[in-house]
């Protein structure tokens, strides 16, 4: 009998392959043609390599082309599984990939100006961003827990290095070590969950393949009395992913990592990591384990409430703006969990809208912080922003817009995002959860207003705040500010696009 090789379809991972190959080529070209440096030398490097952000942007745009082309193919032929039924080729994954490309571009542009200012511009930064985006995409499209873990570790390892990219800063090195240790700890929970899933189901596939049943097939055909091991496994998987989104009580790494990392990296972590991890949670809980919702909902509801309340309260007492935004990020993870708990198409589309608009807002906010904090970001305390409006009115206005959006003020994208996820929770029978979210939002509004008071109602002290705004950073701040306003007023097109991305394979 002649051996017939199975067809290899790479459409489901074309953007990831483009990013990984592009990152490797950037590193190879820099090692051959780039300036020679001593890797142990922590003194500032003043070389300016315009081709690095240009090449990185080009690679990201190629990945965007593949993702956009996949959207059209899926619309014509429907969703499918690729590569041994381990990759989901569906509109949900494609939507997430297009958003991640945008986040990657904004990070490359904002990071380039900050790195050049601090004498840290190296090819490794751009390659790591591309590898991280590739891992996030792989995680979002994973139809198998092993592939999901590979994506998780790919972007996590890249982020560990990016957090500690400023080798001159002890704060940055400390943040990287804390993030690495707790990230490795969270991976053990996720791996143990995968092992228990295999023990319960005999497969790690989310949907099932021609050779064996997957998790979705198992929960549909197995009596409730025989799924105890799978429920335990689901709890461990949720805990592993809760670390990545910074949910309470698994949030310990978030404030330190956000404070110590370069601001461009911090914004990328807040936007990209949440999008990838929530995409995995949505696919896992609202699809494969939807029939077990009565078993996993109590855990997720408890985490959501703790995250909303603790994140909002602890942000009030912070004196560093990056730590304020870190605890804000924790609170937003709780708000997003309400969309998962809703377990409906409306909850999924609302979560996607929220993740995309929140990512744009927080990237813009950290771009402003990077400019205002100055060289090595030494001026990030709230007292350093006294009277900012009188010295830098445009930047103060941009930061105000971002903070108001994070607070959920009407006419901003943040308000629409909260409206969509809370509305989905109410529709699914959880009005009390939406009430808790609204109360936590009211608490959160206090620390956002506290920053505004410092900027507008206190007299400036000392030297001028921050550095001049470089061209690429100006583009990032302008684009994210425009997106924050546009999606707060004309939010229909993006919401419709997110609505089209809720059709999962095999449902």
């Amino acid at each position: 009998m002649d051996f017939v090789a199975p067809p290899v379809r790479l459409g489901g991972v074309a953007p990831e392959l483009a990013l990984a190959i592009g990152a490797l080529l950037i590193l190879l070209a820099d090692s051959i043609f780039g300036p020679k440096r001593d890797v142990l030398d922590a003194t500032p490097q003043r070389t300016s390599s315009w081709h690095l952000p240009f090449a990185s942007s080009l690679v990201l745009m190629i990945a965007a082309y593949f993702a956009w082309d996949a959207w059209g193919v899926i619309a014509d032929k429907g969703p499918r599984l690729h590569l041994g039924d381990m990759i989901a080729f569906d509109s949900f994954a494609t939507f997430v990939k297009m958003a991640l490309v945008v986040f990657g571009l904004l990070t490359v542009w904002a990071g380039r100006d900050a790195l050049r200012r601090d004498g840290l511009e190296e090819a490794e930064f751009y390659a790591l961003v591309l590898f991280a985006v590739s891992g996030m995409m792989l995680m979002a499209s994973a139809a198998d827990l092993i592939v999901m873990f590979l994506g998780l570790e790919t972007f996590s390892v890249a982020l560990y290095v990016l957090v500690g990219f400023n080798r001159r800063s002890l704060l940055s090195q400390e943040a990287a070590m804390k993030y690495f240790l707790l990230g490795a700890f969270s991976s053990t929970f996720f791996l143990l969950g995968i092992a228990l899933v295999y023990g319960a189901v005999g497969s790690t596939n989310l949907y099932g393949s021609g050779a064996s049943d997957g998790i979705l097939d198992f929960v549909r055909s197995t009596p409730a009395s025989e799924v105890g091991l799978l429920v335990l496994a689901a709890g461990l998987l949720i805990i592993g992913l809760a670390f990545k989104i910074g949910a309470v009580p698994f949030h310990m790494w978030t404030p330190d990592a956000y404070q110590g990392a370069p601001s461009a990296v911090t914004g990328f972590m807040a936007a990209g990591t949440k999008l990838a991890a929530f995409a995995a949670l949505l696919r896992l809980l609202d699809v494969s384990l939807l029939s077990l919702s009565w078993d996993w909902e109590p855990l997720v509801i408890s985490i959501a409430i703790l995250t909303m309340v603790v994140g909002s309260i602890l942000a009030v007492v912070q004196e560093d703006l990056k730590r304020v935004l870190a605890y804000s990020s924790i609170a937003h993870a709780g708000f997003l969990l309400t969309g998962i708990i809703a377990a409906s198409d409306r909850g999924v589309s609302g979560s996607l809208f929220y993740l995309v608009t929140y990512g744009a807002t927080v990237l813009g906010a950290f771009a402003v912080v990077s400019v205002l904090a100055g060289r090595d970001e030494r001026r990030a305390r709230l007292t350093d922003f006294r009277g900012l409006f009188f010295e830098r009115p445009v930047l103060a206005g941009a930061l105000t817009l971002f903070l108001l959006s994070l607070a959920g003020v009407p006419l901003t994208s943040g308000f629409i995002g909260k409206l969509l996820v809370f509305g989905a929770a109410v529709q699914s029978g959880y009005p009390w959860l939406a009430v808790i979210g609204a109360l936590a939002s009211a608490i959160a509004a206090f620390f956002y207003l506290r920053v505004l008071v410092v900027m507008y109602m206190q007299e400036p002290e000392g030297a001028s705040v921050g550095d001049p705004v470089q061209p690429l950073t100006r583009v990032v701040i302008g684009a994210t500010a425009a997106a924050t306003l546009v999606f707060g007023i004309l939010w229909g097109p993006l919401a419709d696009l997110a609505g089209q991305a809720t059709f999962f394979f095999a449902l």
Side-chain angles (χ1 to χ4, degrees):
M1 183 176 180
D2 295 334
F3 173 76
V4 179
V8 178
R9 303 185 186 94
L10 298 179
V13 291
E16 291 93 322
L17 289 175
L19 291 168
I21 294 172
L24 291 174
L25 290 176
I26 287 173
L27 289 175
L28 181 62
D30 184 71
S31 66
I32 297 174
F33 303 108
K36 305 304 178 184
R37 297 182 297 268
D38 183 356
V39 295
L40 299 179
D41 184 10
T43 58
Q45 304 293 328
R46 290 298 179 184
T47 58
S48 176
S49 304
W50 63 267
H51 60 280
L52 293 174
F54 176 80
S56 303
S57 300
L58 180 61
V59 172
L60 285 162
M61 290 176 183
I62 292 172
Y65 168 78
F66 285 129
W68 182 254
D69 182 67
W71 185 275
V73 173
I74 294 166
D76 292 337
K77 300 181 179 180
R80 290 169 289 173
L81 292 178
H82 286 181
L83 296 181
D85 298 333
M86 293 187 296
I87 297 294
F89 187 64
D90 57 17
S91 56
F92 176 83
T94 304
F95 180 91
V96 174
K97 290 178 183 182
M98 290 190 292
L100 286 171
V101 166
V102 175
F103 294 166
L105 282 170
L106 295 174
T107 302
V108 165
W109 297 344
R112 199 266 171 156
D113 285 340
L115 294 174
R116 190 179 177 191
R117 175 196 65 195
D118 297 339
L120 296 171
E121 188 177 26
E122 297 176 8
E124 288 81 358
F125 173 84
Y126 302 99
L128 287 168
V129 171
L130 296 181
F131 278 127
V133 175
S134 178
M136 292 170 183
M137 288 183 175
L138 188 63
M139 190 175 182
S141 61
D144 189 280
L145 291 175
I146 300 297
V147 177
M148 190 178 293
F149 177 73
L150 291 175
L152 176 70
E153 288 304 296
T154 299
F155 81 74
S156 294
V157 171
L159 287 177
Y160 299 152
V161 182
L162 286 171
V163 169
F165 202 76
N166 188 351
R167 299 190 300 275
R168 301 191 305 269
S169 170
L170 291 178
L171 184 63
S172 182
Q173 301 307 301
E174 179 186 352
M177 182 58 68
K178 289 180 179 178
Y179 186 27
F180 167 71
L181 292 175
L182 290 174
F185 186 59
S186 70
S187 296
T188 60
F189 281 98
F190 198 81
L191 276 175
L192 182 57
I194 294 175
L196 293 181
V197 167
Y198 187 80
V201 179
S203 171
T204 57
N205 196 278
L206 298 182
Y207 303 119
S209 62
S212 62
D213 291 339
I215 298 173
L216 182 62
D217 299 323
F218 179 82
V219 297
R220 284 176 171 174
S221 60
T222 305
S225 59
E226 300 180 15
V227 296
L229 186 60
L230 182 59
V231 171
L232 177 60
L236 292 171
L237 294 174
I238 291 170
I239 290 173
L241 292 174
F243 271 97
K244 295 304 176 184
I245 64 175
V248 176
F250 315 108
H251 67 290
M252 295 79 68
W253 61 272
T254 310
D256 293 324
Y258 277 39
Q259 183 183 19
S263 288
V265 175
T266 307
F268 181 54
M269 291 169 60
T273 302
K274 273 190 172 49
L275 181 54
F278 269 104
L281 275 171
L282 286 165
R283 193 182 290 278
L284 178 65
L285 298 182
D286 286 357
V287 183
S288 298
L289 297 176
L290 183 60
S291 299
L292 299 181
S293 58
W294 283 103
D295 297 294
W296 56 256
E297 273 182 356
L299 174 62
V300 179
I301 288 173
S302 301
I303 292 174
I305 294 173
L306 279 173
T307 304
M308 288 187 287
V309 175
V310 172
S312 299
I313 291 176
L314 291 183
V316 173
V317 298
Q318 303 304 313
E319 296 296 332
D320 185 280
L321 184 55
K322 294 178 73 172
R323 293 183 73 89
V324 169
L325 292 174
Y327 280 104
S328 165
S329 174
I330 293 171
H332 281 278
F335 301 145
L336 280 159
L337 284 172
T338 61
I340 292 180
I341 295 166
S344 63
D345 278 353
R346 185 175 178 183
V348 173
S349 63
S351 297
L352 289 176
F353 181 93
Y354 197 132
L355 286 162
V356 171
T357 54
Y358 168 78
T361 300
V362 77
L363 279 165
F366 277 107
V368 174
V369 171
S370 178
V371 174
L372 296 176
R375 179 175 172 78
D376 290 331
E377 300 183 1
R378 298 170 181 169
R379 294 170 53 86
R381 295 182 63 83
L382 293 183
T383 53
D384 295 323
F385 298 101
R386 288 177 177 171
L388 177 63
F389 173 74
F390 302 102
E391 295 186 343
R392 310 291 292 272
V394 176
L395 286 180
L399 184 57
T400 299
L401 175 62
F402 297 136
L403 294 177
L404 292 178
S405 180
L406 293 173
V409 173
L411 300 182
T412 64
S413 59
F415 171 76
I416 301 299
K418 285 184 175 139
L419 186 66
L420 292 176
V421 294
F422 291 162
V426 171
Q427 186 183 51
S428 297
Y430 299 97
W432 53 272
L433 188 61
V435 170
I436 294 175
L439 293 175
S441 297
I443 297 173
F446 174 80
F447 58 78
Y448 295 124
L449 292 174
R450 182 184 175 206
V451 178
L452 299 184
V453 167
V454 170
M455 292 194 301
Y456 287 90
M457 303 183 67
Q458 295 187 8
E459 294 294 328
E461 292 186 358
S464 177
V465 180
D467 297 323
V469 185
Q470 300 301 317
L472 286 176
T473 303
R474 190 178 296 117
V475 171
V476 171
I477 296 173
T480 52
T484 301
L485 278 176
V486 170
F487 293 137
I489 301 172
L490 302 174
W491 51 276
L494 181 60
D496 291 341
L497 200 64
Q500 298 174 32
T502 59
F503 183 84
F504 294 85
F505 185 86
L507 272 189

